[in-house]
Amino acid sequence: WRFEESDTEVCVCTSGLCARVDRSTLSIAYETNEGTPLLRENERQARTLEAFDSFRVDTSTPAKVVTVTTPDGEKQVVQAARKIYDRTLYRAQLNFVWQEREALFGLGQHEEGSLNVRGKTIYLHQANLKIAVPMLVSNLGYGVLLDAYCPVVFNDNEYGSYLFAEAVEELDYYFIFGGSMDGVIDGYRTLTGKASLPPRWAFGYLQSQERYETQQEILDVAAEYRRRQLGLDCVILDWHSWRDGHWGEKKLDVKRFPEPGEMTRALHDEHVRFMISIWPNADEISDDYKEFAQQDLLLPFSTTYNAFDEKARGVYWRQLNENLFVHGVDAWWCDSSEPFTPEWNHIEKPIPANMYKEYVQSAEQQAPLALSNAYGLFHARGVYEGQRSVTDQKRVVNLTRSGSIGSQRYGAILWSGDTSASWETLRKQIAAGLNFCASGLPYWTMDIGAFFVKKGLQWYWDGDYEQGSDDPKYRELFARWYQLGCFLPIFRAHGTDVRRELWHYGEPGDAVYDSLVKTNRLRYQLLPYTYSEAGKVWKNNGTLMRMLAFDFPLDERAIQIKDQYLFGENLMVCPVTEPMYDASKGEASLCNSSMRKVYLPAGADWYNFWTGRHYEGGQDIMADAPLDMIPLYVKAGSILPMQQPVQYADQPMPVEFHVYTGKDAEYELYEDAGDGYAYECGEYSVTILTWDQARETLEAQVDGVKSSKEIISRIIRP
């Protein structure tokens, strides 16, 4: 790097980037070292700090607390409490000037369905349907990471273009120049930690339901999947695994789960893992609550443990270990990992600005406001560090509803919360997941079919299908949602109102059931590819679920598309987000065309995954989309490792390499033990497959040595 200064500016330049500080305004302008502008702070008031006195709740004095009933159990809301001075904090604002046609992405997961956030106001606070990550990524190949765990507002309109932080000790942000969106994510992970690699089984199919009530029911579900020869890797036990009246207790009700160790052993014998829902709040009559209360390890005037406290995290893990992990539990579902959700106390949905205001008011009553967006991060940290202290043979899997900067290093898989069933929700989920993954956290999923299917009194219970799975219209929606779920980092169905096991949507020969079976098998056919791409997420700081702007940043059409994306480096997914069938005339009766419009980005040629047909990039086409087919396209010059369908992820099966010709191609097949942490110490293999277009030959090298094994391949030509 080099340092330069003149009468007007101070400049620091690296091999790829220059930061120029204007001496008169102190604003910073960022540009490539060739002089191409990237981003600059506003010349007038580039950044502002407004000091305020921060107070904390005085727990030695009684407070006015009301208990409210929510879908996450009973929660305490502090309406009035005596406060005492804590320290000086700042409300901070960064004012930016973007490039005229620049697109911005990231900021976590939000439910509005926006992809490019230019021209938007985004409120970054944790909520059931929101995940706050103050990370912006530009299609120009740079990112801005605001070092803040407090509520944040992004704004880009006539009132200014800025990031506003509610409560920070200092104004601190990182400008990350990667040269590409992949480079930005690499920089983010360099700063905040590598993403841990989930076990191979976590990339199979995970079956959940609100809720399984007994040990026998769980075993019966797993047995039925095996009887039908359907892929299944995990059964998930939702809430109320505890004794009646003991909400959140980390002990199974012995009446309904008499032999948990025998249950997990029986599941493991069938190559099925077991995930259990755990909660940060516990009823006051439970032993868990009493232990936290006796040691003053709860949030103020709350039944929720204080995850910000290291000692409290240790107690929480010990309770998990002694009562659940010892019985063979494989994975955790850290539900309700954002303890402040005031918007769920309303019948009507608050507008975003009011929702943000209520969150700030609620959070500062029970937590440090400067850390209020980070509860889920600390919660995940405690579970991760606890399990790793016990064993290195089982990777931490933590399905959690909230996270923030750095959650990726703690085995966290985030999901989109308790959504409602509609085609509009399905469409918006795609943009929500794409922006979340562009924020640097790679593992995201959703409730396939939505959580709420029917309508209830409250605003969030707003599904469109009163007849549930008996309604052919909902069956069609579920089939399309299932297809989308197949091409997410984690493939999981869950929800209330309606059962989610596949046989509730028909039997063999029924259109919807057959579609679900085909999709389930496709997930397992692609498992060598999916796990290799996940290996690159860990090894190379990659991104598995990729908006088109990652690979086509200069294609102005591609960067605005919200319903197509890349799954890994080679496969473009084009979900169907509109109904196509007339339920009044039966499942197979078309009311629209069974096709959807697809844009093939310029800069690559493409193959139809299903037919092998070749297309030039830079054009719109009409893609076949019958009920059992999601449109998929593969880049020319790709190698796609696949296998025959299996019933579980660790079932041995030879890998077949599908070569999509047109130019030279190379692919890295990642393999390891599939579980445990030996991969962190180098116990993995990378097989490099190389396609020579001129010679039309496919070769494999393992650790730089040409492989003598026969390569099973299928060559796809124009």
Side-chain angles (χ1 to χ4, degrees):
W1 59 274
R2 69 182 189 275
F3 175 82
E4 300 171 351
E5 57 182 321
S6 67
D7 293 340
T8 59
E9 68 177 16
V10 174
C11 181
V12 176
C13 291
T14 70
S15 59
L17 179 69
C18 286
R20 301 185 179 277
V21 184
D22 187 295
R23 284 186 178 276
S24 62
T25 65
L26 301 184
S27 67
I28 306 173
Y30 302 93
E31 60 186 44
T32 67
N33 60 4
E34 291 87 15
T36 303
L38 296 168
L39 173 68
R40 66 179 174 88
E41 297 174 342
N42 203 344
E43 292 181 356
R44 181 180 179 276
Q45 291 187 321
R47 10 187 155 74
T48 59
L49 287 164
E50 181 181 285
F52 69 95
D53 291 338
S54 175
F55 294 84
R56 55 185 171 85
V57 173
D58 180 4
T59 56
S60 65
T61 303
K64 182 181 179 181
V65 181
V66 296
T67 300
V68 297
T69 300
T70 76
D72 298 326
E74 291 188 344
K75 291 190 176 183
Q76 290 65 43
V77 176
V78 179
Q79 293 188 332
R82 183 177 180 272
K83 294 187 177 182
I84 53 180
Y85 175 79
D86 184 28
R87 54 182 170 154
T88 298
L89 290 176
Y90 297 89
R91 298 182 182 93
Q93 185 162 311
L94 275 166
N95 298 297
F96 289 120
V97 178
W98 321 110
Q99 302 294 325
E100 184 177 351
R101 304 181 76 172
E102 179 179 4
L104 297 172
F105 310 102
L107 298 177
Q109 171 209 286
H110 303 279
E111 59 179 310
E112 291 81 8
S114 300
L115 191 65
N116 181 359
V117 299
R118 288 295 306 275
K120 307 292 184 182
T121 300
I122 308 291
Y123 295 93
L124 279 69
H125 62 88
Q126 308 295 10
N128 186 301
L129 298 169
K130 291 171 68 70
I131 304 170
V133 186
M135 172 72 176
L136 272 174
V137 182
S138 168
N139 69 311
L140 300 182
Y142 74 83
V144 172
L145 173 62
L146 184 62
D147 189 357
Y149 287 102
C150 64
V152 170
V153 178
F154 167 84
N155 191 77
D156 183 37
N157 58 24
E158 65 272 23
Y159 297 106
S161 299
Y162 58 79
L163 283 164
F164 168 82
E166 194 72 41
V168 292
E169 293 181 347
E170 60 187 8
L171 178 51
D172 188 4
Y173 79 96
Y174 296 86
F175 181 88
I176 306 168
F177 180 59
S180 65
M181 291 178 67
D182 279 312
V184 175
I185 301 303
D186 179 71
Y188 166 86
R189 304 248 181 89
T190 298
L191 289 167
T192 67
K194 293 186 77 68
S196 61
L197 177 60
R200 185 179 172 91
W201 65 259
F203 297 97
Y205 177 54
L206 285 58
Q207 180 64 65
S208 187
Q209 168 67 34
E210 200 271 333
R211 61 187 173 86
Y212 298 122
E213 298 191 20
T214 66
Q215 173 177 322
Q216 191 58 49
E217 186 180 11
I218 289 170
L219 294 173
D220 289 345
V221 167
E224 185 64 14
Y225 269 93
R226 290 291 175 257
R227 187 187 74 80
R228 292 174 180 257
Q229 298 184 324
L230 297 172
L232 176 71
D233 269 278
C234 183
V235 176
I236 303 173
L237 176 57
D238 200 354
W239 67 287
H240 206 164
S241 56
W242 46 79
R243 295 173 290 171
D244 287 346
H246 290 248
W247 182 284
E249 192 171 53
K250 304 171 201 67
K251 296 177 184 175
L252 291 167
D253 181 358
V254 295
K255 294 180 181 179
R256 294 178 290 121
F257 304 93
E259 298 176 315
E262 289 299 317
M263 178 183 70
T264 56
R265 277 190 287 274
L267 290 172
H268 294 165
D269 287 345
E270 294 297 328
H271 304 278
V272 178
R273 267 63 174 202
F274 178 62
M275 176 187 289
I276 189 168
S277 168
I278 56 176
W279 297 68
N281 54 311
D283 193 278
E284 292 181 0
I285 69 171
S286 70
D287 293 337
D288 289 359
Y289 170 84
K290 292 173 183 176
E291 183 174 12
F292 283 116
Q294 288 167 1
Q295 300 182 58
D296 193 24
L297 297 176
L298 296 163
L299 294 177
F301 306 110
S302 173
T303 59
T304 299
Y305 92 105
N306 183 6
F308 302 111
D309 186 292
E310 183 178 4
K311 182 179 178 181
R313 295 196 299 272
V315 171
Y316 191 91
W317 166 252
R318 182 177 52 73
Q319 293 173 350
L320 284 181
N321 187 40
E322 293 177 354
N323 297 305
L324 294 174
F325 197 57
V326 294
H327 295 305
V329 169
D330 299 290
W332 311 105
W333 178 4
C334 285
D335 208 344
S336 190
S337 54
E338 63 298 292
F340 323 112
T341 53
E343 76 279 4
W344 281 54
N345 302 334
H346 295 280
I347 299 297
E348 296 294 332
K349 186 176 184 178
I351 64 172
N354 289 347
M355 195 181 296
Y356 175 87
K357 181 180 178 181
E358 283 194 3
Y359 179 87
V360 171
Q361 293 171 342
S362 176
E364 65 184 355
Q365 297 285 353
Q366 294 183 310
L369 186 58
L371 290 176
S372 58
N373 273 352
Y375 186 92
L377 171 73
F378 283 95
H379 187 31
R381 175 182 175 180
V383 173
Y384 177 86
E385 292 178 346
Q387 183 174 319
R388 292 216 59 174
S389 72
V390 172
T391 179
D392 63 356
Q393 299 304 303
K394 186 179 285 190
R395 295 179 196 169
V396 179
V397 175
N398 178 1
L399 178 67
T400 183
R401 203 167 66 190
S402 180
S404 193
I405 304 167
S407 287
Q408 73 279 353
R409 64 183 182 265
Y410 296 133
I413 300 164
L414 284 294
W415 100 96
S416 59
D418 296 339
T419 54
S420 294
S422 70
W423 288 95
E424 180 184 16
T425 300
L426 175 61
R427 287 189 290 273
K428 290 181 176 180
Q429 286 284 280
I430 302 171
L434 291 173
N435 268 328
F436 177 82
C437 292
S439 305
L441 285 72
Y443 292 111
W444 182 85
T445 188
M446 61 188 180
D447 293 351
I448 292 174
F451 184 73
F452 299 110
V453 176
K454 304 177 182 180
K455 287 195 184 296
L457 177 64
Q458 302 92 338
W459 63 266
Y460 47 80
W461 204 313
D462 193 31
D464 286 347
Y465 304 93
E466 291 301 310
Q467 302 305 312
S469 58
D470 292 332
D471 186 341
K473 293 181 180 179
Y474 179 68
R475 290 189 175 199
E476 180 192 358
L477 175 65
F478 187 84
R480 296 305 193 184
W481 217 308
Y482 199 76
Q483 289 170 352
L484 171 60
C486 178
F487 292 96
L488 298 183
I490 305 298
F491 184 29
R492 162 189 165 272
H494 176 67
T496 192
D497 298 332
V498 175
R499 302 294 298 199
R500 301 307 162 96
E501 299 87 2
L502 302 192
W503 49 88
H504 293 286
Y505 298 86
E507 291 293 338
D510 294 337
V512 171
Y513 180 83
D514 289 351
S515 171
L516 297 174
V517 170
K518 182 176 179 179
T519 302
N520 178 280
R521 290 176 176 162
L522 179 60
R523 177 72 175 199
Y524 285 90
Q525 287 175 278
L526 287 167
L527 196 57
Y529 173 73
T530 304
Y531 195 62
S532 289
E533 295 299 302
K536 296 170 190 173
V537 169
W538 166 71
K539 187 169 173 285
N540 304 331
N541 291 332
T543 298
L544 183 52
M545 186 181 182
R546 309 164 61 83
M547 63 177 67
L548 297 182
F550 270 84
D551 295 82
F552 305 98
L554 302 180
D555 186 330
E556 293 191 3
R557 282 199 61 194
I559 64 177
Q560 304 294 343
I561 290 177
K562 299 191 289 186
D563 62 353
Q564 298 175 211
Y565 62 93
L566 288 171
F567 187 66
E569 64 181 66
N570 295 331
L571 191 58
M572 185 168 69
V573 183
C574 310
V576 175
T577 60
E578 300 283 350
M580 293 183 175
Y581 293 88
D582 185 347
S584 66
K585 298 179 181 178
E587 287 179 338
S589 201
L590 291 173
C591 62
N592 299 320
S593 168
S594 59
M595 306 182 81
R596 67 147 286 178
K597 187 177 181 180
V598 166
Y599 175 67
L600 301 175
D605 283 359
W606 299 89
Y607 287 89
N608 184 312
F609 172 84
W610 300 105
T611 67
R613 181 177 173 180
H614 176 267
Y615 296 88
E616 292 184 357
Q619 63 169 320
D620 292 307
I621 62 169
M622 294 303 295
D624 288 331
L627 189 60
D628 67 343
M629 185 183 295
I630 180 173
L632 300 171
Y633 293 85
V634 188
K635 288 181 188 175
S638 294
I639 301 172
L640 205 64
M642 296 181 65
Q643 64 184 17
Q644 292 301 307
V646 294
Q647 293 181 50
Y648 54 90
D650 294 331
Q651 187 174 348
M653 187 62 63
V655 177
E656 178 179 284
F657 298 95
H658 292 214
V659 181
Y660 293 83
T661 63
K663 60 182 180 180
D664 293 345
E666 184 176 284
Y667 189 79
E668 293 186 3
L669 179 73
Y670 175 90
E671 297 173 293
D672 63 19
D675 208 346
Y677 286 96
Y679 76 92
E680 292 182 341
C681 303
E683 292 189 23
Y684 61 88
S685 69
V686 174
T687 303
I688 300 178
L689 285 299
T690 305
W691 168 257
D692 187 312
Q693 179 67 30
R695 295 166 51 212
E696 291 205 335
T697 57
L698 180 65
E699 295 182 348
Q701 288 189 340
V702 182
D703 299 325
V705 179
K706 184 176 179 179
S707 174
S708 59
K709 293 182 180 179
E710 179 186 0
I711 305 173
I712 305 172
S713 63
R714 176 173 172 239
I715 311 301
I716 298 96
R717 298 179 174 86

